[in-house]
Amino acid sequence: MNKFMIKPEIIFGEDSLNYLQGREYKKFLIVTDRSMVQLKLVDKIIEKLPKDSEIQIFSEVEPNPTVDVVEKGVKELFHFQPQCIIALGGGSSIDACKGILYFGNKLFESLGKENGNMEFIAIPTTSGTGSEVTSYSVITKGNSKIALAYDEMLPKVALLNPEFMKTLPKKIIADTGIDVLTHGMEAYVSQNRNPFTNAIALEAMKLIGANLLKHYENPKDLIPRENVQYASCLAGIAFNNSSLGINHSIAHSLGAKFHISHGRSNGIVMPYVIEVNDEAEELYGEIASQLGLPGETPQEKRKVLKIYVEMLKEKLEIPKSLKELGIDFEEFKRLIPEILKDIKNDICTTYNPNSLNDEEYVSLLLKIYFGE
């Protein structure tokens, strides 16, 4: 039996924050990072909440949120006991909030307490992870990333507001934008794909192809900014229902071990995964056609798609390889056994088109390092 689920409710547009005015709760917990507080973006949320409500801000989230941050958040959740929890920020803040809610609920259950069925609202401030519409959360533990997937972590409401993306640094636009393309591509070639995810993933990639560079070059231009935000959300819905692949498994491990942003890790890895996933050749060909790329046969189209990704990365100033990024080869070589272990244990590996053995994984990792 298969399942396709569309959740959460999505509120979008320049006035989307007005949704918060109708939340008649007495206690709100906002999970975010310090930059959201310093940039006064948290104030934009607070000013929409009921004036007589009690508001607590947990702003200790950092990039690649750790188990320690989640534990601190669970304590905050347990002591404050809000009726509504709001995640504000990029994928890290939303992922951390999901972890806090999931483990917080387990704590409440273990103590025989009711959690009051808190409303979970996700407000992304970047366009990349799609975390606002997925039941996935990636938490860092030591030098590894743990990918969690539980329906209980799915937000009830996602608020998409393009204002938050107007002043993003170009590097973040590049990293998160290439992440959207990775999500759409892996959802489309996944062994767990279905007609619903196919249609949504293709539309997400089409929007990225037409708008990402425009958004990168002029972040204040509203239409490309909105379209990239929609693409991020659509790709999130697609992969939440189809799963991902080894592009993400490898990126999770590289990001944790070498402190590379998630989107940049995915971008570096993507061309080499397209090359190795020959079982999905026809599907990559369909993606190439959707993006308006040339080619007569699926084989030609897959090659052209790989070249397209390489050219897009160059324009977005994303490194071609780990070597170009400045990663030390001896350190990389030493960590290969750990990286292999991470890949095999990652839930994203399950539905990848090709099943690789250790020798093939090592060969792939060396290509990713040297860019060959």
Side-chain angles (χ1 to χ4, degrees):
M1 181 172 67
N2 298 318
K3 179 176 76 169
F4 178 80
M5 179 170 60
I6 299 181
K7 188 184 173 184
E9 180 179 356
I10 300 169
I11 312 292
F12 60 95
E14 292 181 280
D15 60 350
S16 59
L17 292 184
N18 290 340
Y19 172 85
L20 298 173
Q21 294 174 337
R23 305 301 89 202
E24 297 180 354
Y25 300 119
K26 295 298 181 183
K27 299 177 77 173
F28 293 85
L29 175 63
I30 300 175
V31 175
T32 188
D33 60 58
R34 291 181 181 86
S35 66
M36 295 293 107
V37 177
Q38 293 166 355
L39 294 170
K40 298 190 180 302
L41 297 183
V42 171
D43 295 351
K44 293 180 181 291
I45 305 303
I46 293 174
E47 67 186 22
K48 297 291 184 180
L49 299 177
K51 301 302 179 187
D52 60 344
S53 60
E54 189 178 350
I55 301 167
Q56 190 81 5
I57 300 171
F58 177 76
S59 59
E60 297 192 38
V61 178
E62 297 177 350
N64 300 317
T66 63
V67 172
D68 289 342
V69 167
V70 172
E71 287 178 356
K72 290 178 183 177
V74 169
K75 290 177 183 176
E76 193 81 32
L77 182 75
F78 185 75
H79 291 300
F80 185 58
Q81 297 194 26
Q83 296 164 300
C84 178
I85 187 166
I86 299 172
L88 174 70
S92 293
S93 291
I94 299 175
D95 277 10
C97 191
K98 288 176 178 178
I100 290 166
L101 264 177
Y102 178 76
F103 291 108
N105 286 341
K106 293 298 181 187
L107 177 61
F108 279 113
E109 289 173 12
S110 68
L111 296 173
K113 292 180 176 287
E114 293 290 333
N115 67 4
N117 195 26
M118 285 175 282
E119 180 174 8
F120 177 19
I121 301 173
I123 307 176
T125 59
T126 61
S127 295
T129 67
S131 188
E132 71 275 7
V133 290
T134 77
S135 55
Y136 284 84
S137 176
V138 180
I139 306 297
T140 300
K141 184 177 182 180
N143 286 328
S144 297
K145 288 193 176 185
I146 304 167
L148 307 172
Y150 299 103
D151 287 347
E152 305 98 290
M153 296 194 301
L154 201 57
K156 180 182 178 183
V157 176
L159 297 187
L160 306 184
N161 192 297
E163 276 299 298
F164 290 122
M165 269 61 76
K166 189 184 289 186
T167 56
L168 284 176
K170 295 183 76 171
K171 183 177 179 180
I172 292 180
I173 292 173
D175 289 359
T176 54
I178 205 75
D179 198 18
V180 177
L181 183 59
T182 315
H183 289 155
M185 201 172 294
E186 290 213 290
Y188 194 75
V189 304
S190 167
Q191 291 188 49
N192 198 37
R193 66 200 300 271
N194 60 64
F196 304 104
T197 62
N198 294 346
I200 294 171
L202 281 177
E203 181 63 17
M205 288 185 280
K206 182 178 177 182
L207 285 170
I208 281 294
N211 293 279
L212 178 55
L213 283 177
K214 293 177 183 177
H215 177 41
Y216 178 74
E217 290 161 3
N218 186 6
K220 293 186 178 180
D221 193 345
L222 177 62
I223 300 303
R225 183 165 24 109
E226 278 190 317
N227 284 332
V228 169
Q229 188 175 51
Y230 299 153
S232 175
C233 187
L234 287 168
I237 294 170
F239 85 73
N240 193 53
N241 285 276
S242 68
S243 191
L244 293 162
I246 60 171
N247 203 130
H248 269 75
S249 304
I250 296 168
H252 286 156
S253 185
L254 296 179
K257 287 174 171 53
F258 300 106
H259 308 292
I260 314 167
S261 80
H262 175 65
R264 182 148 296 216
S265 297
N266 269 320
I268 291 171
V269 172
M270 197 191 316
Y272 309 103
V273 169
I274 293 172
E275 186 176 45
V276 81
N277 274 339
D278 54 16
E279 292 290 333
E281 190 156 78
E282 287 196 18
L283 301 178
Y284 284 127
E286 291 169 10
I287 293 170
S289 297
Q290 183 73 5
L291 292 173
L293 303 178
E296 295 295 325
T297 66
Q299 184 180 33
E300 287 178 2
K301 290 180 180 181
R302 179 164 67 113
K303 288 181 179 178
V304 171
L305 179 63
K306 178 177 179 286
I307 293 169
Y308 166 81
V309 171
E310 291 170 341
M311 292 175 64
L312 178 61
K313 284 171 53 180
E314 187 175 345
K315 290 178 180 178
L316 295 171
E317 299 182 77
I318 293 174
K320 181 180 179 181
S321 65
L322 295 177
K323 182 180 179 180
E324 188 177 312
L325 191 63
I327 302 297
D328 178 72
F329 180 64
E330 291 303 317
E331 177 69 2
F332 175 74
K333 186 169 65 173
R334 183 183 68 79
L335 289 171
I336 283 179
E338 290 184 31
I339 296 171
L340 285 176
K341 184 179 178 181
D342 288 346
I343 295 169
K344 292 174 184 178
N345 290 334
D346 196 305
I347 56 175
C348 295
T349 301
T350 308
Y351 296 109
N352 191 70
N354 282 56
S355 295
L356 279 63
N357 59 36
D358 285 4
E359 185 178 346
E360 289 168 327
Y361 272 126
V362 171
S363 175
L364 174 59
L365 289 170
L366 290 174
K367 287 183 178 180
I368 292 167
Y369 182 84
F370 288 107
E372 298 173 353

